[in-house]
Amino acid sequence: MTKKVTILGAGLVGSLLSIFLAKKGYKVTTYESRPDYRKSTTVGGRSINLALSHRGLKALNAVGLDDEIKSRCIPMPGRMIHALDGQLDFHAYGKEGEYINSISRSGLNELLLDEAEKAGVEFYFNHKCINVDYKHTTAQFEFEDRKVEIEADFILGADGAYSAMRSSMMRSERFNYEQHYITAGYKELHIPPNAEGDFAIDPNALHIWPRGKYMLIALPNLDKSFTVTLFLPFEGEKSFENLQTEKDVSAFFEADFGDSVSLMPNLTQDFFTNPTSGLVTIRCYPWVKENCALLGDAAHAIVPFYGQGMNAGFEDCHVLSRLIDTHGELNQSVLQEYQELRKPDAEAVADLALYNFIEMRDKVADPKFILQKKIEKKLNELFPEKWLPLYSMVTFSDLRYSEALAIGKKQQEIMDKVMEYPGIEIAWQNLDFASIVNQL
């Protein structure tokens, strides 16, 4: 008999997961609390574009979406740093031919929903999950004015950072849960195409205006616009609480992001129209109870500063899919193995994302940090098999996040000593690079 799998959440991870399982012959039904994205003009208050990189692409390729995805991406081979005086400095992310991709959240979600339906997945929108009973593998939903209860062989929660399934698990014994909001929030802004209908700034870069405790970033869209995000503390001297009028906002941007102001004709309107949202890291355990399991943000929501949230969620789906292939079927032991494999990686990528916030807002404009990156790039060029920069390990490789973080910590210990060499700024090209690598 064909086993029934219920998936909670028709977002990016839930949609991709449903494709993987439907293609393996499971009867998949997916429930989503919001309306059908394809018939709605809203994007659910989330960032409208995302950074898709190797791990996410690998998962999408595994369900045959490689060519379809490439046509929807804008490659970004590096960061474009905007200094306070307007000077530009481009930092490549990796080697020639390595890049991350800007992709529309809603466009990608619509594609995954369409592909899931083609694979035989049934979707039920406007169904708000109110409880999951993991002991009996049942779930209850509110739909219009009535309650609906379903039963399945497996229930998989891919219903995001505020997961209903995780909330149900939290009411059970021995379930650990922790959430942490950073002091900064974010607000979405917009750079439209220029007067000629083209990109107003270089589309093949992730633009960053680093300013210490806060920053502005911009990612390109296919319609030649940019999605801009301001990351700023909620309270303090430079903060959202002190930007109460159009005059406040204009003065703040003129002083701190001067070269961006002319690019955003609707700056103040966007600022006061768009919501200010918080940024949370969620850690919990266990992810699996009986035949129920959490994936993606439901299991491990992270802040967006490594561009790995979606990629990590997609990798969850890919890892689970490969485990099913290895063992021949989805069962409780497969879910347990998935959990044991992915939990250390989720912890690692959460830590990496928190650290990268500091790097992006503080360090990318620091001459010492830039010099360290040059030295690491040289080490990688001379010894490509022995020294891979942390960013490349996380973004362009198949190394587990936990392995990448462990190696990255060793590399940083070595580099801390290297950067103490007298006259390093002038003499760095004469370093004994072989001895540095051998320490690793």
Side-chain angles (χ1 to χ4, degrees):
M1 191 176 83
T2 302
K3 288 190 175 179
K4 293 189 294 183
V5 180
T6 291
I7 294 174
L8 306 182
L12 297 170
V13 174
S15 300
L16 179 61
L17 180 61
S18 69
I19 297 171
F20 270 114
L21 293 172
K23 284 179 176 285
K24 294 182 191 304
Y26 292 95
K27 180 173 172 50
V28 182
T29 310
T30 300
Y31 292 84
E32 168 60 49
S33 62
R34 291 174 290 191
D36 190 338
Y37 304 90
R38 296 162 294 182
K39 301 170 186 173
S40 172
T41 55
T42 64
V43 194
R46 303 293 301 281
S47 169
I48 67 168
N49 58 2
L50 298 159
L52 177 65
S53 54
H54 173 72
R55 295 170 197 272
L57 284 167
K58 186 171 64 173
L60 292 165
N61 291 350
V63 294
L65 289 175
D66 8 1
D67 294 334
E68 188 69 42
I69 292 300
K70 285 174 187 170
S71 66
R72 295 167 182 254
C73 290
I74 299 175
M76 300 182 294
R79 300 165 169 165
M80 185 69 79
I81 308 303
H82 294 246
L84 195 57
D85 62 4
Q87 291 292 311
L88 300 178
D89 189 16
F90 181 79
H91 301 175
Y93 281 130
K95 294 181 288 193
E96 186 75 29
E98 289 183 330
Y99 50 84
I100 61 176
N101 299 276
S102 179
I103 190 166
S104 159
R105 174 190 288 275
S106 57
L108 177 55
N109 209 152
E110 288 170 13
L111 170 64
L112 292 173
L113 289 170
D114 289 343
E115 289 297 316
E117 286 184 337
K118 287 178 194 173
V121 178
E122 282 187 73
F123 285 95
Y124 290 88
F125 294 93
N126 298 304
H127 279 66
K128 182 183 178 182
C129 182
I130 52 176
N131 186 55
V132 176
D133 181 346
Y134 68 88
K135 290 180 180 176
H136 299 97
T137 330
T138 60
Q140 291 80 40
F141 301 87
E142 286 179 350
F143 174 63
E144 296 178 346
D145 294 327
R146 58 196 175 89
K147 290 185 179 177
V148 178
E149 181 166 305
I150 62 94
E151 188 176 346
D153 295 299
F154 299 92
I155 302 179
L156 304 178
D159 50 341
Y162 303 101
S163 166
M165 182 162 173
R166 189 182 64 236
S167 293
S168 294
M169 286 183 168
M170 285 169 67
R171 295 193 289 270
S172 65
E173 286 187 0
R174 294 190 299 142
F175 185 87
N176 296 312
Y177 173 79
E178 174 194 339
Q179 69 176 33
H180 172 73
Y181 282 90
I182 63 171
T183 55
Y186 75 96
K187 186 181 287 285
E188 298 265 333
L189 303 167
H190 185 68
I191 295 176
N194 62 20
E196 291 74 41
D198 204 352
F199 288 104
I201 50 179
D202 184 353
N204 296 119
L206 190 154
H207 293 259
I208 308 179
W209 289 256
R211 299 295 182 262
K213 297 298 180 186
Y214 49 94
M215 67 176 173
L216 197 68
I217 70 168
L219 278 77
N221 298 307
L222 290 175
D223 66 0
K224 307 293 180 73
S225 70
F226 281 80
T227 298
V228 182
T229 310
L230 172 65
F231 296 98
L232 184 69
F234 281 101
E235 294 99 19
E237 183 185 351
K238 295 283 181 83
S239 67
F240 282 116
E241 74 171 356
N242 283 334
L243 299 179
Q244 296 298 319
T245 67
E246 291 190 3
K247 187 177 178 183
D248 294 339
V249 173
S250 295
F252 171 63
F253 273 80
E254 288 285 358
D256 287 271
F257 309 112
D259 65 331
S260 77
V261 175
S262 63
L263 304 172
M264 294 187 282
N266 298 319
L267 169 60
T268 54
Q269 181 184 336
D270 288 344
F271 189 93
F272 290 106
T273 302
N274 296 340
T276 303
S277 303
L279 294 160
V280 68
T281 300
I282 290 174
R283 306 175 198 258
C284 66
Y285 195 80
W287 297 352
V288 174
K289 283 186 174 284
E290 305 289 343
N291 281 357
C292 297
L294 299 169
L295 294 93
D297 282 358
H300 49 75
I302 61 175
V303 294
F305 304 111
Y306 227 112
Q308 288 297 308
M310 170 182 63
N311 293 289
F314 283 0
E315 194 171 56
D316 285 349
C317 300
H318 194 212
V319 167
L320 180 59
S321 173
R322 286 187 302 175
L323 288 171
I324 295 168
D325 292 342
T326 299
H327 296 283
E329 65 171 357
L330 179 60
N331 55 40
Q332 206 173 117
S333 63
V334 163
L335 292 178
Q336 290 289 342
E337 190 173 346
Y338 148 77
Q339 172 181 256
E340 288 163 19
L341 273 171
R342 293 300 287 165
K343 177 60 175 170
D345 294 330
E347 290 291 326
V349 75
D351 291 341
L352 286 162
L354 288 165
Y355 169 76
N356 219 43
F357 178 43
I358 298 165
E359 178 172 311
M360 289 174 74
R361 71 179 191 185
D362 295 7
K363 295 188 176 183
V364 290
D366 178 356
K368 188 174 180 181
F369 176 81
I370 293 168
L371 176 59
Q372 179 181 323
K373 292 301 174 188
K374 283 182 182 176
I375 295 170
E376 290 197 66
K377 186 178 180 184
K378 185 73 173 177
L379 286 164
N380 177 234
E381 288 170 358
L382 293 171
F383 306 96
E385 301 301 317
K386 292 185 177 181
W387 189 288
L388 191 61
L390 177 58
Y391 188 90
S392 295
M393 286 190 280
V394 171
T395 309
F396 303 123
S397 87
D398 291 315
L399 269 177
R400 292 179 61 179
Y401 289 125
S402 51
E403 293 172 351
L405 179 59
I407 296 167
K409 285 180 177 177
K410 289 180 185 175
Q411 289 177 335
Q412 188 58 49
E413 287 172 10
I414 294 166
M415 290 306 301
D416 286 343
K417 293 173 185 172
V418 170
M419 298 307 291
E420 290 173 1
Y421 288 2
I424 184 75
E425 295 83 0
I426 298 166
W428 72 269
Q429 296 200 58
N430 298 321
L431 289 167
D432 184 347
F433 291 102
S435 70
I436 295 171
V437 163
N438 288 337
Q439 292 177 59
L440 194 62

